[in-house]
Amino acid sequence: MQAFTLPEFYVPHPARINPNLEGTRAHSMDWARRMGMLDAAKPGGGVVWTEAALAEMDYALMCAYTHPDCEGPALDLITDWYVWVFFFDDHFLEQFKYSRDMAGAKEYLDRLELFMTAPGQEPPEPANPAEAGLKDLWERTIPAMSEGWRRRFTLSTHNLMVESMWELANIDLGRVANPIEYIQMRRRVGGAPWSANLVEYAVRAEVPDRLSATRPVEVLSDTFADAVHLRNDLFSYQREVQEEGENSNAVLVLERFLGCSTQEAAELVNDLLTSRLQQFEDTALVDVPALLAEHAALPHEQIAVGAYVKGLQDWQSGGHEWHARSSRYMNEGAAGGGSSRLTAGPVLRTRTQQRDHVPFTKVGHLPLPEIYMPYAFRTSPHLEEARERNAQWCREMGFYDSVPGVEAGGVWDEDRLRGIDLAHCASMIHADADPDGLHLSTAWLAWGTYGDDYFPAVFGTGRNVPAAKVTNDRLSLFMPLDAGETPEPLTPLERGLQDLWRRTATPLSGDARRVFRKAVEDMTASWVWELANQAQNRIPDPIDYVEMRRRTFGSDMTMSLARITHLTEVPPELFGTRTLRELETAAQDYACFANDLFSYQKEIEFEGELHNMVLVVEHFLGLDRLAARDVVNDLMTARMGQFEHILATDLPQLFEDAELDQPARDALLRHADELKDWMSGILEWHRQCVRYTEPELKRLTTPAAPAFPAGLGMSALRLADRFRAASA
């Protein structure tokens, strides 16, 4: 009996099948036999795969559906890759997941890495079928692709192998991940980014290197990956959770986190799957053509990106069809039934959820829940000095000057700046800074907050997204990597960045400058993203919101100020490990969601905003604001719990695995302490700051008010007043 009834899937493109299927079936069976996969023994007796089991799983059919247009030899190679990856998954399960042999698993994975050789390297002699298969496939694939593709494919293959340790550790602890952690980690361990790389091989068209790291291309890959993984979780729940004891499954994650039934969790997973497919389509139809025009892509580059998009679409439809037919999954009623027909129902629901919000809805004060914070805040003794120096710096940069197009004359005045009291925030998140360091930290907070206010004030009312993008593009000119000359600044925003970059970048190494500049660029680009959503009255997709919220809040930028001080003591690559990445993003999400709780009334009622986690949860889950508030608070608590778990368990393990010396260990422990200060300081600042209180919000929206809240221009505030008056 199935664990739940499969939901109504959104399948926008009909599946097609490759005519070379039969030849590939025979080839892949022979290849698996030659690699030793049909003779691999289980620890308790028997073999991992028999010929009959492999034939029944029919990976050739999967690849024929997911790559319908490639030629026979290419289909053979791609199918061999999938035979290898599924064998690896099952072999790893038998060898290490059941026995919880963590040491053996790590040794197994470390050896597999040696078979992904760079040019000029030689791999060792294979000792098991997984190694033999990877060696053979690497030698057959890499010569046909570029160096840039090899680097990307090596990373995605590394992730799906090495992050298996995360799954194993959670099984060993009986731990089910929180929803945000799960989506992030599933993207790495699940293998769909790896599949996206193979799409480039199949369509014989690589995404140009200069475009591969842009947001539209990354969104294509991420939404593709999430949709593939969420669909797989729906079909594989019964096998993984009920039969194999797995706990890495989105249905189980939502069951546990929301306390709902399996059927309800499955429906929510399908809604999220549909939302990701919808964002894929929006990106492909709107953002990718704009990207190609912006970068003046050559004809062959345009054709390559188009072929890549089509290949990802084919994979989605073919992957669904294979899941509906394969013996590996729970699929009763799926093949040829209602669940696999083209249907608009799910996408109409998600589009309605995203676009039915009425701006400036009167929501009233949001009572705050009990917020879990295990760390005490500290305050710098240099706070008063920082307040005065920051007020003077903002005056010198022109933050109080009038700005063309802003109805009230300027974005800020000094009274408004002092009311925000960003020096208080800086004094807690950088409590140990000397006076100059605290002034610099406060100035960065002031610049980022001013910029966050400048964009909606200048461009928001007119929905002038192109002008906002031009303004944002100019900002990079004031962050030269050589810390050299810049153009003459035209606005207070440019003037402030010019001064801050000079003072910050001059003592940094080249690598540190690149890290910090990217963090600033990500933040400023997110302001344009917010304006684009406002122009469409589109509440962001939940996953995209969480990931972009870290940028709009400036968390990457403020954290980078601390992180780059440790680059001389800690190998930079460690900051890319799961342990440190999850430590930082858990802290970021905690602070971002805290801001969303405190700012809910200000943003929804007084600013007509769409970018608030409470609102996102309201619309996605169909909850009222108090129930959505509680879900957001539960997410904060879960992320803080994950932060504590990493400090207690994963960070000490990283010390051992990376064989770090004592200075490096001490530096990472200091970094962890700085993250504690960052979270506790931001929470305390919100508790003490008047900007979110209802009396202050009402005072600032009266016609005689001399100032207004950060994040909104006076023109937009008056528009809000008119909207409310007309609705009364």
Side-chain angles (χ1 to χ4, degrees), residues 5-84:
T5 301
L6 285 168
E8 180 185 25
F9 290 96
Y10 174 55
V11 187
H13 306 285
R16 298 178 296 116
I17 196 163
N18 193 301
N20 298 295
L21 169 60
E22 290 305 325
T24 295
R25 272 183 174 143
H27 167 86
S28 63
M29 182 67 72
D30 178 66
W31 184 81
R33 185 182 297 108
R34 287 190 288 109
M35 294 301 108
M37 295 175 181
L38 303 183
D39 301 315
K42 294 181 180 180
V47 293
V48 176
W49 280 358
T50 63
E51 183 171 328
L54 178 57
E56 195 174 11
M57 289 182 283
D58 206 351
Y59 297 119
L61 180 65
M62 182 195 78
C63 293
Y65 273 126
T66 55
H67 302 281
D69 297 322
C70 66
E71 297 177 352
L75 184 63
D76 289 347
L77 178 60
I78 289 168
T79 303
D80 291 346
W81 271 113
Y82 281 93
V83 169
W84 174 81

Side-chain angles (χ1 to χ4, degrees), residues 92-397:
F92 192 80
L93 173 78
E94 295 290 347
Q95 295 291 326
F96 307 110
K97 287 187 178 180
Y98 290 141
S99 66
R100 313 291 195 263
D101 180 5
M102 302 288 288
K106 184 178 183 306
E107 182 180 352
Y108 177 94
L109 295 172
D110 286 346
R111 265 192 59 86
L112 267 180
E113 291 272 339
L114 302 177
F115 293 87
M116 295 190 294
T117 54
Q121 292 180 331
E122 287 295 327
E125 191 65 27
N128 60 54
E131 293 178 359
L134 184 55
K135 178 178 182 295
D136 178 79
L137 290 166
W138 203 257
E139 292 170 350
R140 292 162 56 198
T141 306
I142 297 304
M145 308 302 286
S146 71
E147 179 63 18
W149 185 90
R150 182 191 68 80
R151 287 193 301 269
R152 288 186 280 122
F153 189 61
T154 299
L155 178 61
S156 60
T157 309
H158 163 88
N159 288 341
L160 72 85
M161 294 191 307
V162 172
E163 301 299 5
S164 298
M165 292 294 292
W166 171 77
E167 292 183 319
L168 185 56
N170 281 343
I171 293 172
D172 189 48
L173 295 170
R175 177 180 178 271
V176 177
N178 63 71
I180 299 173
E181 174 193 9
Y182 178 75
I183 292 296
Q184 287 188 168
M185 290 305 302
R186 185 71 163 97
R187 199 180 286 168
R188 294 173 71 89
V189 75
W194 175 88
S195 295
N197 292 150
L198 284 176
V199 165
E200 294 177 76
Y201 179 91
V203 300
R204 288 291 191 263
E206 294 186 26
V207 175
D209 269 356
R210 66 192 183 102
L211 302 180
S212 63
T214 59
R215 172 170 159 79
V217 174
E218 288 182 342
V219 169
L220 285 177
S221 175
D222 290 346
T223 52
F224 166 80
D226 294 342
V228 167
H229 295 147
L230 292 168
R231 178 185 294 106
N232 177 266
D233 285 355
L234 286 164
F235 279 97
S236 65
Y237 174 91
Q238 186 165 314
R239 178 178 66 86
E240 291 181 344
V241 176
Q242 296 187 337
E243 297 173 12
E244 296 179 352
E246 279 272 12
N247 52 17
S248 294
N249 184 287
V251 179
L252 178 65
V253 166
L254 291 186
E255 272 187 275
R256 296 288 181 87
F257 181 77
L258 296 173
C260 61
S261 69
T262 306
Q263 186 67 52
E264 290 170 326
E267 296 291 345
L268 287 173
V269 169
N270 189 50
D271 285 346
L272 194 54
L273 161 60
T274 303
S275 179
R276 297 309 273 163
L277 288 173
Q278 177 186 335
Q279 187 171 359
F280 178 93
E281 293 169 339
D282 290 347
T283 302
L285 293 173
V286 178
D287 299 335
V288 168
L291 174 75
L292 296 175
E294 177 187 351
H295 288 265
L298 298 173
H300 73 276
E301 293 176 318
Q302 297 179 37
I303 291 170
V305 173
Y308 176 66
V309 171
K310 178 180 176 296
L312 296 178
Q313 291 175 334
D314 287 337
W315 209 111
Q316 289 285 358
S317 299
H320 179 88
E321 191 69 21
W322 178 71
H323 276 84
R325 297 174 181 274
S326 175
S327 66
R328 189 178 179 89
Y329 302 110
M330 177 191 87
N331 49 24
E332 182 180 330
S339 295
S340 60
R341 290 200 306 266
L342 173 65
T343 173
V347 79
L348 287 177
R349 285 196 300 273
T350 57
R351 288 192 185 276
T352 299
Q353 288 168 340
Q354 289 181 332
R355 289 176 168 83
D356 67 353
H357 176 67
V358 178
F360 306 107
T361 298
K362 187 175 178 59
V363 294
H365 171 67
L366 182 69
L368 291 172
E370 183 177 349
I371 297 174
Y372 175 60
M373 168 49 71
Y375 308 116
F377 67 89
R378 301 180 301 125
T379 306
S380 167
H382 310 300
L383 171 57
E384 289 303 325
E385 179 184 346
R387 282 174 171 149
E388 296 309 313
R389 291 180 70 178
N390 188 56
Q392 177 63 27
W393 181 81
C394 289
R395 182 181 299 108
E396 293 171 355
M397 295 302 108

Side-chain angles (χ1 to χ4, degrees), residues 359-672:
F360 306 107
T361 298
K362 187 175 178 59
V363 294
H365 171 67
L366 182 69
L368 291 172
E370 183 177 349
I371 297 174
Y372 175 60
M373 168 49 71
Y375 308 116
F377 67 89
R378 301 180 301 125
T379 306
S380 167
H382 310 300
L383 171 57
E384 289 303 325
E385 179 184 346
R387 282 174 171 149
E388 296 309 313
R389 291 180 70 178
N390 188 56
Q392 177 63 27
W393 181 81
C394 289
R395 182 181 299 108
E396 293 171 355
M397 295 302 108
F399 287 6
Y400 312 145
D401 296 349
S402 61
V403 175
V406 177
E407 196 172 309
V411 176
W412 275 6
D413 61 23
E414 187 168 341
D415 288 341
R416 180 58 192 154
L417 170 75
R418 290 185 180 275
I420 297 172
D421 202 3
L422 294 166
H424 183 217
C425 185
S427 75
M428 291 183 288
I429 66 177
H430 294 133
D432 296 322
D434 62 20
D436 288 342
L438 185 59
H439 171 52
L440 182 63
S441 176
T442 305
W444 272 111
L445 290 181
W447 181 84
T449 307
Y450 176 84
D452 194 39
D453 295 352
Y454 181 94
F455 271 70
V458 175
F459 308 114
T461 303
R463 303 294 191 258
N464 196 346
V465 178
K469 188 174 187 315
V470 171
T471 299
N472 176 64
D473 289 345
R474 270 187 57 87
L475 293 178
S476 293
L477 302 177
F478 297 90
M479 296 184 287
L481 288 176
D482 63 359
E485 295 299 315
T486 66
E488 186 68 23
L490 303 178
T491 65
L493 193 64
E494 293 180 353
R495 191 175 303 114
L497 182 57
Q498 180 191 57
D499 179 72
L500 286 171
W501 183 256
R502 174 184 54 78
R503 289 194 281 145
T504 305
T506 298
L508 297 179
S509 68
D511 287 341
R513 288 175 188 171
R514 277 188 287 273
V515 168
F516 187 63
R517 185 170 98 159
K518 184 179 187 306
V520 177
E521 289 176 333
D522 285 347
M523 179 181 71
T524 63
S526 73
W527 300 338
V528 181
W529 172 80
E530 287 183 315
L531 287 174
N533 284 331
Q534 291 288 138
Q536 300 175 55
N537 195 44
R538 176 184 180 272
I539 297 173
D541 167 272
I543 295 175
D544 198 38
Y545 177 78
V546 170
E547 295 176 341
M548 289 300 292
R549 185 68 176 102
R550 298 165 190 162
R551 300 182 182 187
T552 63
F553 192 65
S555 50
D556 282 334
M557 185 194 75
T558 55
M559 280 187 179
S560 291
L561 280 170
R563 186 195 306 153
I564 58 181
T565 64
H566 305 304
L567 289 180
T568 58
E569 300 163 299
V570 179
E573 61 270 15
L574 285 186
F575 286 101
T577 61
R578 171 181 59 85
T579 298
L580 294 184
R581 188 183 64 254
E582 288 294 321
L583 188 75
E584 291 185 344
T585 58
Q588 290 174 357
D589 293 342
Y590 181 94
C592 291
F593 299 162
N595 176 267
D596 287 355
L597 289 175
F598 280 87
S599 65
Y600 177 78
Q601 183 182 18
K602 178 176 80 74
E603 293 181 339
I604 306 308
E605 180 176 335
F606 288 85
E607 298 179 359
E609 259 288 357
L610 304 172
H611 301 92
N612 185 289
M613 189 62 176
V614 179
L615 184 70
V616 170
V617 171
E618 277 184 79
H619 283 254
F620 183 73
L621 295 182
L623 302 175
D624 62 39
R625 67 190 183 105
L626 296 180
R629 171 205 66 186
D630 291 341
V631 171
V632 173
N633 190 43
D634 288 344
L635 280 169
M636 287 176 60
T637 303
R639 292 299 263 168
M640 181 61 80
Q642 184 186 352
F643 184 90
E644 294 176 292
H645 169 78
I646 292 170
L647 288 186
T649 304
D650 297 345
L651 193 58
Q653 188 63 52
L654 177 66
F655 291 167
E656 298 302 318
D657 291 345
E659 300 179 345
L660 295 183
D661 59 22
Q662 196 59 48
R665 297 182 185 213
D666 291 343
L668 286 178
L669 290 173
R670 287 197 303 274
H671 182 58

